[in-house]
Structure formats: structure tokens, C-alpha cells
């Protein structure tokens, strides 16, 4: 099986995953206990049967469940997502997603980058210097970072930044990040300019540190374990006996093979980042898709909740496909079984 056929097979297998995920989303939302018609009515109209039925007709809830399911699935497949019911009432859902999603992707990009660029090198460093003081310090730091909840760390970071003058003796606002930027949203329309790139990065950096902290600790711990396992493999001893230099031994044999078990760890952490963005964006008031999902769920805007779940499912499936591609790059044997 060639690599292209392997990737095509993985893409074909992702189709039933998307279908099953969206079907479960429809069943949980539209057959669940939340009645959006009562949310649409004012408090005095909830006891009026005629007004209640009119609200259900307006929201399309008077259709048979099976018909409603096929209409909803058809709308998702064509990305004809309609308008919101309650949150931003009457607004186009596609426009809302295009407005809010880039901020979450920008936040997720920096969160993954921080976790990978700090956690993986620290894990490899600790693995290459096992049972030393550096190893103990790095391992303890990873455990501490992994144990801190995102929402708690976000609140603590906001408190520290707000009291930087008293704690550190200088004004953090003038040094790097203005505190009012923490309660705003990055303007991604100016990313093509240097000033726009720096401004957008500054606004999401504190939230990205919080969101990537747990992943950073986990990847450091797994990276250390992977290096220790690879160092004890027979082919490493054979390469050393054949006179391979230590530099080539580390980069060509140890680090590359230690990356293989880290690929599913990194991609699985990306799934947690998608869910964690709901909490972090709420704490930092970043108008991303996570905060939009939180507001839609609390206000009972079911079409928007279902649509955002569909977007989350597509993102997760996309990350899975990226994992398969990375496997073929790091380990050339993947996809060549039977060739």
C-alpha cells in the first residue's frame, strides 16, 4: 500500500466518523430536555399555548424528528447553516463562525507551538540526562504544570499581571501586554502587517500560555520516557559500536525515533485544546468560537450549538488526518505494509 493510498484510506474512514458525530449531536440537542421555544418567549408568554406553538413553528420544531434530522444534515453538508435563534438573533451563522473561528485557531496555534517548542525539548533534555539534578527539576516542573487546571491558572495569571507593579516593581502594561488587551479580541485582519501580527500575538499570548501549559507538561513527561526507551534499544548500541558520532546518534537515531510515540500525544492534546478554549476564552474574554459555544449553550441556541459542534468535529477529524500524514513523514514504514 503506497503512502497516498494510505492517506486516501484514512480520509475515507473519516467520513463515517463525521456522520456519527453529527448524528449524536443532533440526537443529544434536539431530543434533549432543553426547549428553545420557551427561551424565545418572554416570561409572560410562556403560559400561552398559542404563542408557544407559534414559537415552535418559527423555530422549525413542529417538524417530525426524522424530517428535521435530514434537513439539518443536508444544511450541514452544504454549509447552509441558516440564522441564529436566540444569541445574536437573526444573524447569519456562517458569518458568525467566519468572524469568531480565526481567533480560536490563532489561540490554538500559539498554544500548540508553546507546548511543543517547550515541552518536547525539555522532555528530550531530561531523557538524555536521566537521574541527574536537571532531570529531577524538569520532571518536577512538568508534573506541576500538568496538575494546574487551566481556569485556575488563567485567573492567577490575570491577578499577577494586574499586580505586576507591586509584585515585580515594574508596570507589565508598558513592558509587553496592556491589560485592556486581555479583555479584547485580536484583530486578525491586520496579520499581514508587522504591527498587526505583534498586536494579535500579544493579545492571545497569556491565554495561549494557560491553554498550552497542561499539554506542555504532558509532552515533556512522554518525551522523557520515549528518549529513555529509545536509548536502550539494540540498534542504538549497534550504531555506537560501529563508531557513529554522538551527534549523529542523537539526531538520526534517538530523537527521530522518540518522536514517533509523541505524534499521537501531541495530536490528542490538540483535542483538549479545542475543548479547553471554551474555558480559557471565557476567562480572558476572547471572542473566539469557544466563548461563542459557551454563550450559545447557556442561552439554549440549539442550531448554533449544533453547528459549532459540527465545526469541532471537523477540526478533530482534520487533526487526525494531520497525525496520519506526520506518521508517514517521521516513520517511512507507515503505509507501506504489503508493498
Amino acid at each position: 500500500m503506497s503512502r497516498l493510498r494510505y492517506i486516501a484510506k484514512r480520509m475515507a474512514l473519516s467520513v463515517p466518523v463525521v456522520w456519527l458525530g453529527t448524528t449524536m449531536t443532533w440526537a443529544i440537542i434536539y431530543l434533549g430536555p432543553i426547549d428553545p421555544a420557551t427561551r424565545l418567549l418572554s416570561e409572560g408568554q410562556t403560559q400561552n399555548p398559542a404563542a408557544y406553538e407559534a414559537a415552535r413553528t418559527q423555530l422549525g420544531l413542529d417538524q417530525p424528528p426524522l424530517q428535521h434530522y435530514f434537513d439539518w444534515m443536508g444544511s450541514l453538508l452544504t454549509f447552509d447553516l441558516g440564522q441564529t435563534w436566540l444569541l445574536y438573533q437573526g444573524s447569519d451563522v456562517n458569518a458568525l463562525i467566519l468572524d469568531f473561528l480565526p481567533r480560536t485557531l490563532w489561540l490554538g496555534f500559539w498554544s500548540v507551538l508553546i507546548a511543543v517548542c517547550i515541552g518536547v525539548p525539555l522532555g528530550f533534555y531530561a531523557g538524555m540526562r536521566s537521574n541527574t539534578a536537571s532531570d529531577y527539576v524538569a520532571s518536577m516542573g512538568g508534573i506541576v504544570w500538568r496538575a494546574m487546571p487551566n481556569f485556575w491558572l488563567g485567573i492567577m495569571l490575570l491577578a499577577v499581571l494586574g499586580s505586576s507593579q507591586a509584585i515585580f516593581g515594574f508596570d507589565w502594561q508598558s513592558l509587553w501586554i496592556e491589560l485592556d488587551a486581555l479583555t479584547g479580541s485580536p484583530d486578525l485582519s491586520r496579520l499581514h502587517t508587522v504591527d498587526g501580527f505583534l498586536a494579535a500575538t500579544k493579545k492571545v499570548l497569556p491565554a495561549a500560555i494557560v491553554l498550552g501549559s497542561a499539554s506542555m507538561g504532558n509532552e515533556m513527561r512522554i518525551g522523557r520516557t520515549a528518549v529513555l526507551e529509545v536509548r536502550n534499544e539494540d540498534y542504538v548500541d549497534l550504531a555506537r559500536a560501529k563508531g557513529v558520532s554522538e551527534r549523529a546518534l542523537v539526531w538520526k537515531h534517538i530523537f527521530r525515533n522518540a518522536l514517533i510515540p509523541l505524534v499521537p500525544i501531541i495530536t490528542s492534546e490538540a483535542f483538549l485544546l479545542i475543548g479547553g478554549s471554551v474555558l480559557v476564552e471565557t476567562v480572558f474574554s476572547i471572542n473566539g468560537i469557544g466563548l461563542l459555544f459557551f454563550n450559545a449553550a447557556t442561552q439554549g441556541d440549539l442550531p448554533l450549538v449544533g453547528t459549532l459542534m459540527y465545526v469541532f468535529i471537523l477540526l478533530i477529524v482534520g487533526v487526525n488526518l494531520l497525525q496520519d500524514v506526520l506518521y508517514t513523514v517521521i516513520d517511512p514504514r507507515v503505509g507501506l505494509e504489503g508493498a
Side-chain angles (χ1 to χ4, degrees), residues 15-29:
V15 174
V17 174
V18 174
W19 169 78
L20 182 60
T22 51
T23 300
M24 292 179 62
T25 300
W26 176 86
I28 293 173
I29 291 178

Side-chain angles (χ1 to χ4, degrees), residues 3 5 35 47 87-88 97 101-102 117 130 152 157 163 166 185 214 258 268 295 300 303 310-311 314 317 335:
R3 294 183 184 179
R5 288 185 61 189
D35 187 2
Q47 303 300 325
L87 188 67
Y88 304 104
I97 292 177
L101 181 60
C117 292
S130 58
W152 179 86
L157 183 58
S163 307
S185 298
S268 64
N295 292 332
Y310 178 63
V311 173
L314 291 180
V317 171

